[in-house]
Amino acid sequence: MAASARQWVTIEKDDNRIMIMNIHGLWQKDSNKKDTPERINQSRLVREFLKSRNKRTVVSGDLNLSLNTESMAILEEDTVNLIKEYSIDSTRSSIYTKEERLADYILTSPSIKINDFKVLQYEISDHLPLYLDFSENNETLMVTPGEGFYATQGLGRNEIRVAYVLEEKKLIRAAHLLANAIKQYQKIN
């Protein structure tokens, strides 16, 4: 996929695997996020890549696609588009002045349990951050962008905050889940 960038991490626990992938889709001037042969091909390549991994997946990123395109339909063949599922009408901040309000998406395997999904209203760029909370084996690790916890603009931009956990045992487990995710991520970088 020379026309786009992708990163992924596979989180494994026991016999369960889930792949989390971030994609920056092909940007083409004057195409208005509509279908082009290159975008349709890119969607096919992404779908084939996901199938070749044979894992449950979470795909996120700026796909540079409008919601109702053939390119998006190709990606939705084996996934749930959370933008559609949650009736999200914009992933853009007020900094973005063009008419098209969707650019960023999260698509998941149907078997993944979604606890919460929303667009966070942090204006750090023309894209708003997407928040996803999902469970794996009834374990959930909730994190949120760190920037919202600072009064000084720019602080926390590269940080996350783990949600408060009442029991020490669960907090320790959350730290282990996060450590495992980081180790898996570091293997690909």
Side-chain angles (χ1 to χ4, degrees):
M1 285 189 310
S4 70
R6 65 180 174 194
Q7 300 171 319
W8 73 91
V9 62
T10 300
I11 300 171
E12 299 181 29
K13 182 180 178 216
D14 303 323
D15 291 331
N16 296 308
R17 294 182 188 153
I18 187 165
M19 181 174 67
I20 302 172
M21 181 177 184
N22 182 269
I23 301 172
H24 191 274
L26 178 63
W27 179 81
Q28 293 179 303
K29 188 176 181 175
D30 300 324
S31 68
N32 297 321
K33 303 195 184 313
K34 303 296 182 202
D35 283 321
T36 64
E38 295 84 3
R39 283 186 172 147
I40 290 170
N41 186 54
Q42 176 180 260
S43 291
R44 288 183 179 134
L45 290 171
V46 169
R47 187 187 69 211
E48 288 171 19
F49 175 79
L50 295 174
K51 284 184 176 185
S52 75
R53 297 296 179 186
N54 199 25
K55 297 176 179 102
R56 295 184 303 148
T57 59
V58 174
V59 178
S60 68
D62 176 359
L63 302 183
N64 276 313
L65 293 173
S66 293
L67 189 61
N68 297 311
T69 58
E70 180 182 347
S71 300
M72 185 60 73
I74 291 167
L75 295 173
E76 293 172 339
E77 284 181 17
D78 299 312
T79 63
V80 176
N81 183 338
L82 297 183
I83 295 295
K84 279 185 179 177
E85 189 79 12
Y86 284 76
S87 302
I88 302 295
D89 58 5
S90 179
T91 61
R92 294 297 205 157
S93 72
S94 64
I95 297 168
Y96 189 78
T97 58
K98 295 180 182 175
E99 189 175 318
E100 177 68 50
R101 302 308 302 165
L102 294 173
D104 305 283
Y105 296 87
I106 293 183
L107 303 113
T108 65
S109 296
S111 62
I112 292 177
K113 181 180 182 244
I114 306 302
N115 299 317
D116 192 13
F117 173 70
K118 57 188 158 200
V119 178
L120 300 176
Q121 299 303 309
Y122 296 120
E123 297 224 3
I124 57 175
S125 79
D126 59 329
H127 299 265
L128 293 171
L130 304 181
Y131 170 86
L132 176 63
D133 171 17
F134 66 92
S135 295
E136 175 64 15
N137 294 332
N138 295 320
E139 290 184 305
T140 301
L141 175 61
M142 291 179 60
V143 297
T144 189
E147 189 172 33
F149 296 94
Y150 289 91
T152 304
Q153 187 173 359
L155 289 181
R157 184 168 286 176
N158 296 324
E159 299 175 8
I160 59 172
R161 180 176 171 171
V162 176
Y164 177 68
V165 181
L166 294 175
E167 298 174 36
E168 181 180 355
K169 180 179 164 185
K170 290 182 179 178
L171 184 58
I172 291 168
R173 179 67 186 140
H176 287 292
L177 290 172
L178 182 58
N180 287 337
I182 291 169
K183 284 178 190 174
Q184 292 293 325
Y185 177 77
Q186 289 173 335
K187 285 181 184 179
I188 62 171
N189 285 324

